[in-house]
Amino acid sequence: MAGTAYGLGIGPGEPDLITLKAYNILQKADVIAYPALEDGASLARQIVAPHVPTGRIEIAIRITMGQPADPIYDAAALEIGEHLKAGKSVAVLCEGDPFFYGSFMYLFGRLAEAGHPVQTVPGVSSMMACAAQLGAPLAARNDVLQVIPGPLSEERLRAQLGDTDAAAIIKLGRHFAKVRKVIEELGLTSRARYIERATLETQKMVPLGDLPEDTIAPYFSMILIHRRGDAWR
Amino acid sequence: MAGTAYGLGIGPGEPDLITLKAYNILQKADVIAYPALEDGASLARQIVAPHVPTGRIEIAIRITMGQPADPIYDAAALEIGEHLKAGKSVAVLCEGDPFFYGSFMYLFGRLAEAGHPVQTVPGVSSMMACAAQLGAPLAARNDVLQVIPGPLSEERLRAQLGDTDAAAIIKLGRHFAKVRKVIEELGLTSRARYIERATLETQKMVPLGDLPEDTIAPYFSMILIHRRGDAWR
């Protein structure tokens, strides 16, 4: 009988923010796969370290920044597919939630189209973890909440942010200065909260206005904005 | 020493979609509080039923639809505050994630302003659970994702939906016909997936076009839309 591939949401960073369901699947999985840097380092693997039994087959899917990812996912899907055909179950570790801007969807598409059984186990997203750590509810009542990637053009950022009750701005990186400028122009700086590496030991929270303009934000960072200041007001 | 109040995200419905962290806090909490209907029935309490130890103090926060909720939250915050002052810990159960349109934020505001220690434990949101069950990733790359409440006006719905890569439309209820009309006008019906009671035994998934126009969607329902059909394309 063919094995099942699981896209496992493992949560934002704190190991205990994994669900019981993902934890239990992890205990039984024959193979564990995860995204990794070129040198093999993997935040996802690190997050679940306290939960992974020894002696499992492990597949590090090494992504090289700036190189086409399609051939890498093609190869990973084939390798995982071979294990599934051999009746083995495969847990693919996904930081946060697998379907919220997660790279698991590229494997999901390939595995599903090849006819393999695939299940997605939702996880605690970084967006919810950031809100919890900041004590800043995302949205209430009939608020529109927008998730806005930092790489968008200044014009698009201005249009989206000008037209929403609440926002989470993700993928800040080297786009930080541009994003901050738009927030300032819209008069929202006092409503904006910045956080990086939420729930990890290296977590940092700073009022947006206190950060230097030339900040290069790490990948795991986010700005949350609510037009009313606090969503419950 | 004062006790701590925890806003516990308990996930979308399937009991094992609670986090290890929330599960552990639940085992140790002296008091368990949860939103309930006027007759005391509570979905939140029902979701965690397999996990709750016996003999705990329980507080059902009874919300009457159509009546002002402020006095109810005032009274609940006072009652919880008394337990905290007596050194007891209080777990407040929150369906999904506490800060994603959750009523916990109204208690959070009151308890925090009264100087009580409050912590929010993020949970798996229904939005992520719906995407997982539907096999429909929410957003990828530089997509804008909007969360849009159904009660908004037809004009506002049209403006927001016309201006986004992906959307989750929540709080459908009796607004279903209006929402569906706008989706149809924008040519997005073939991109829209409907789901109710995700991860519960009564879960139902239907292509949006198959639902009668006079559908009254239950509270726990959602429409997910992605302009490309599948986010990974």
Side-chain angles (χ1 to χ4, degrees):
Chain A
M1 223 183 91
T4 297
Y6 299 93
L8 283 195
I10 58 169
E14 189 179 331
D16 280 5
L17 287 174
I18 194 172
T19 62
L20 294 184
K21 183 166 186 169
Y23 176 88
N24 289 330
I25 289 171
L26 200 51
Q27 302 314 302
K28 291 181 198 158
D30 301 300
V31 180
I32 297 172
Y34 42 84
L37 301 178
E38 214 174 345
D39 65 1
S42 166
L43 179 62
R45 180 66 183 80
Q46 192 183 317
I47 289 172
V48 301
H51 306 315
V52 175
T54 53
R56 296 295 147 87
I57 302 167
E58 300 206 13
I59 301 173
I61 304 169
R62 291 168 199 246
I63 305 290
T64 306
M65 294 300 268
Q67 292 215 358
D70 276 346
I72 298 167
Y73 292 122
D74 286 344
L78 280 178
E79 187 176 356
I80 290 169
E82 289 304 315
H83 286 297
L84 299 174
K85 280 193 272 182
K88 290 189 160 49
S89 60
V90 181
V92 184
L93 308 180
C94 310
E95 293 145 9
D97 176 79
F99 277 174
F100 185 76
Y101 297 91
S103 61
F104 172 69
M105 73 182 80
Y106 306 113
L107 282 177
F108 176 86
R110 285 165 169 83
L111 292 168
E113 279 170 12
H116 296 295
V118 195
Q119 279 183 38
T120 302
V121 178
V124 174
S125 161
S126 58
M127 183 166 74
M128 281 70 178
C130 287
Q133 298 297 99
L134 287 163
L138 290 162
R141 296 186 276 260
N142 289 333
D143 290 339
V144 169
L145 167 66
Q146 297 198 24
V147 187
I148 304 174
L152 295 183
S153 71
E154 203 173 310
E155 292 64 36
R156 184 91 195 276
L157 285 172
R158 198 176 289 116
Q160 300 299 144
L161 273 175
D163 188 34
T164 192
D165 302 294
I169 310 173
I170 62 173
K171 305 191 182 189
L172 292 168
R174 60 190 174 79
H175 305 282
F176 181 84
K178 174 183 62 181
V179 169
R180 186 174 156 178
K181 177 166 167 263
V182 172
I183 293 172
E184 184 69 30
E185 283 171 8
L186 292 169
L188 292 170
T189 302
S190 67
R191 306 310 206 190
R193 310 177 205 221
Y194 171 87
I195 181 168
E196 60 186 50
R197 301 188 179 88
T199 81
L200 289 167
E201 278 171 26
T202 48
Q203 171 181 300
K204 189 170 132 185
M205 300 192 279
V206 194
L208 184 62
D210 288 3
L211 284 170
E213 283 198 13
D214 60 354
T215 298
I216 293 182
Y219 184 77
F220 290 94
S221 64
M222 199 175 288
I223 295 170
L224 294 185
I225 297 178
H226 201 291
R227 198 168 289 280
R228 294 192 296 278
D230 291 314
W232 65 77
R233 299 202 190 272
Chain B
M1 222 183 93
T4 297
Y6 299 93
L8 283 195
I10 59 170
E14 189 179 332
D16 280 3
L17 287 173
I18 194 173
T19 62
L20 294 185
K21 182 166 185 168
Y23 176 86
N24 289 331
I25 289 171
L26 200 50
Q27 301 315 301
K28 291 182 199 157
D30 301 300
V31 181
I32 297 172
Y34 42 82
L37 301 177
E38 214 174 344
D39 65 1
S42 167
L43 179 62
R45 180 67 182 81
Q46 192 183 316
I47 289 172
V48 300
H51 306 314
V52 175
T54 53
R56 296 296 147 89
I57 301 167
E58 301 205 12
I59 301 173
I61 304 168
R62 291 168 199 245
I63 306 289
T64 307
M65 293 301 266
Q67 292 214 357
D70 276 345
I72 298 168
Y73 292 121
D74 286 343
L78 280 178
E79 187 176 356
I80 290 169
E82 288 304 315
H83 286 297
L84 299 174
K85 281 192 270 182
K88 290 188 159 52
S89 60
V90 181
V92 184
L93 308 179
C94 311
E95 294 145 6
D97 175 79
F99 277 173
F100 185 76
Y101 298 91
S103 61
F104 172 69
M105 74 182 77
Y106 306 113
L107 282 178
F108 175 85
R110 285 164 169 84
L111 291 169
E113 280 171 12
H116 296 296
V118 195
Q119 280 183 37
T120 302
V121 179
V124 174
S125 162
S126 58
M127 183 165 76
M128 281 69 178
C130 287
Q133 298 297 98
L134 286 163
L138 290 162
R141 295 185 275 261
N142 290 333
D143 290 339
V144 169
L145 167 66
Q146 297 198 23
V147 187
I148 304 173
L152 295 182
S153 72
E154 203 174 310
E155 292 63 37
R156 183 92 196 273
L157 285 173
R158 196 175 291 114
Q160 299 299 145
L161 273 174
D163 187 34
T164 192
D165 302 295
I169 310 173
I170 61 173
K171 306 192 183 188
L172 293 167
R174 59 191 174 79
H175 305 282
F176 181 85
K178 173 183 64 183
V179 169
R180 185 174 155 175
K181 179 168 166 262
V182 172
I183 293 172
E184 184 70 30
E185 283 170 9
L186 292 170
L188 292 170
T189 302
S190 68
R191 306 307 206 192
R193 312 178 204 219
Y194 171 87
I195 182 168
E196 59 186 51
R197 301 189 179 87
T199 80
L200 288 168
E201 278 172 25
T202 50
Q203 172 182 300
K204 191 171 130 185
M205 299 190 281
V206 194
L208 184 63
D210 288 4
L211 284 171
E213 281 197 16
D214 60 354
T215 298
I216 294 183
Y219 183 79
F220 290 94
S221 64
M222 200 176 286
I223 294 170
L224 294 186
I225 296 178
H226 201 290
R227 197 168 289 282
R228 294 191 297 275
D230 290 314
W232 66 77
R233 294 192 196 278

